[in-house]
Amino acid sequence: MMVSTMEPENVLVFGSMPKTQMIQSSHLVCSNFSRLTNASVFYSSSPLTLMLPLLLLQLSLGSAAILVTFYLLRPFGLPLMLAQVLGGVLLGPSLLCRIPGLLNMIFPIRSFLLMDVVSTMGFMFYFFLVGVQTDIWLLKKITKKSFAIGFFSVGVPMILTLGMSLLWMQFNVNPNEKKKVDSLPEIAKAESLVSFQIVSYYLSELRVINSEIGRVALCSSMVSTLCSTCVVTSNILWNQSKDDLSRFFQSICYGIIFASLVCCILGPLLLWEMKHTLGGQPLKQGNLVVLFIAVFMSGFWGHSFGLNIYFGPLLFGLIIPSGPPLGSALVEKLDVITNWVLMPLFFVKFGLAVDIFALSLKTYFKVQFFALLGAFGKFLGASLCALSCQMPQRDAIVLGFFMTFQGVIELDLFRLMKRKQIIGDEAFSAMCLTALIGSGVVALVVPCFYDPSKRYEGYYGRTLANSRHNSELRVLVCIHEEQNVPSAINVLATLKPTKQSPIAVYMLHMVELMGSATPLLMRQKRPKKLSTRTRGSAPIIDAFKIFEENHDGLVSVSPFISVSPPQTMHEDVFQIALEKGTSLVMIPFYKKFHVGGAVYLSKRSLKIANQNVLDQAPCSVAILVDRGTLKTLHAIWAGWSSSEVAVIFLGGADDQEALALAAKMTGCQNINLTLIRIIYDGDFPDKYMEGIRNDNESLGQFQTNISGNTCAKYWEEVAKDGAGTASVLRTLENQYDIIVVGRRHYDTFPLLSGLTESNENKELGVIGDMLASSDFLGNTTILVVQQHTDNSHSE
């Protein structure tokens, strides 16, 4: 037999179940554990009568319900967290468990013995991941503006809701509702709190975490969370001490002692062990087991000190550095198992305690009023304070919306309040329902009200073709990993910097954000002072600095580091491109090819970043495609012997931009440039005439510039269709080190007939894809150019 202390709300909701014996108290459940798994339908025995099969079914139903809900909500752009909460609610007595007999069969009260254990373990790891992903160094970035916004985002709603609750209590004349009215101040406090983790989660899901307003919201929510933590902690400890001041301060002392032990003993020991064991290598299984044990022990010792069992894992997670290498590895290992295996039971157990049919309209509207008042206070405090700090009106309004988000942290607070009998069943259901609806509505409204890409509208004409001849060429070079560096520097070395036309290179190392909730964009001037999150950037920065030093002041390199999710990496790219006035953004292709054209490495997460840059960039874009091993950089730094560069010209704005890039390469004795124009053998339709005139003007200007230049050649090839174009491309076999092509061409262009169907990599265009996946070009580097035009945002 096993006896477990049950949460009061579970017993009150489900009542007495079959084969369950209530012992002395309605808070205790006794269940038979003599047989766990020995049952079979073949022996006329139901597996649901046993604990383990029942737990497996509950786990499966919870994950399936959340998955189905997520796919149903995804077309509306709603995040996973809302699907998790809604899936748990729909699985409970609010919908599915209203079917007669289903509640007793799948969720008997005896099953809560194991559900409590598994869901508690899941929530412990959830809080641990919350701590790991929280960058405490964000506190150093808090300015007076973000501090004021964060403080008033909690202070204003607290004043409004508490004031209204006290006023409501004064005018309450119904003695039967005294207990409900007395809980209004606690409801008011709960509805006024802001969670940094929830705000950062929604910012990431809405893909605005890298924007300027997203960074302000992160810093402000950090301040709000500190204020909220002080309110919640003092409130919980005061209730636990039962109005005894000495016990209250005793609990605070226990918390301080426990935090000191974790931070000063456990943390440094584990980090020292990781530093000497990892050594820059992937996280080993032994290290992972040590961390798992530490998570469980931190929860155990925290509970032993009289603290909440989740406080220990949260505190332990906070002392682990967020981001790579340790934080990223932990999130990668724990994210799926926590969110899709363990946490669904928490949401199921949470949903089983929410019954919207038992909720009276009077209670719901009362709680809804305070929830709306709290949300309005957060919105008012954040937006008015932002306006007083000279923030644009639209941004200030959106910031106010961001601060109203609620999620798992708030729901667990509501659950704690119910367990402590601070609020009743109806108030709990109403608060959960209000949080779910409110966050869903705001998540739907914000994208309609705020689109970060609109700030790039109006930046037209940022192209190489429109840049002045003797002016500084500004190029933003994006690097994903060290393997991208040789080909990028090879291309930069062909651009012939001179005193009249120097090159300003803005190098952006783009690191995928993992293991942290806080993105990072910084200009790095001193590589020796890199943090753990950006330590991998040092070799890349060193390579570009050596490139700068070997060009005697004709090239300047400004390194930047961006740590962000792939969905919002382009925001950092655009920010630098706009601030620095670059004419070209060079990004590496997300696939890598063998010399024979076969793909040997593909990073699908970076495909999103590539496509976003192509769709919305405020200047021209060049995609750099690696094909096998390149020449060493030593040859370039020592005075590159000679390099063969070819430009393929069919026609169109992108080919004209490729021609403008090629013009930057002429005049250098080390570069042998060949322009190959493929001419259509036939009559063009009238719709192509204007474009062809522009093509001829660009070609005429280019031929004038290279006249008398022995290092530049121009020839023409004739083709009737796509097959003829492919034949011309095959003549380039192993002749060139770099081939420059345009990405897009004229619609239904005869020279591409029959080739568009086999275009697998749309980002490279038809010709770029053919060259990248070809088996006849050896280790040639392919540069695919897209000109920035007025309609580039819509493609």
Side-chain angles (χ1 to χ4, degrees), residues 483-500:
Q483 288 81 355
N484 303 141
V485 174
S487 56
I489 292 183
N490 280 348
V491 172
L492 291 174
T494 65
L495 296 180
K496 193 195 65 175
T498 62
K499 291 183 178 180
Q500 292 75 25

Side-chain angles (χ1 to χ4, degrees), residues 750-767:
L751 290 175
L752 301 178
S753 61
L755 300 179
T756 55
E757 292 79 4
S758 59
N759 184 10
E760 296 181 359
N761 303 299
K762 304 296 183 183
E763 301 90 345
L764 302 179
V766 178
I767 302 300

Side-chain angles (χ1 to χ4, degrees), residues 123 127 308 310 346 350 407-417 419:
F123 214 49
F127 268 95
N308 193 291
Y310 306 129
F346 169 83
F350 159 81
V408 178
I409 306 296
E410 287 80 6
L411 294 180
D412 187 61
L413 176 62
F414 302 160
R415 190 173 66 94
L416 178 64
M417 293 170 63
R419 188 168 67 244

Side-chain angles (χ1 to χ4, degrees), residues 77 79 201-209 402 405 442-444 446-447 452 568:
Y201 172 81
Y202 279 99
L203 290 175
S204 179
E205 289 291 321
L206 296 174
R207 301 184 181 182
V208 295
I209 195 168
F402 287 157
F405 281 121
V442 174
L444 290 173
V446 168
T568 57

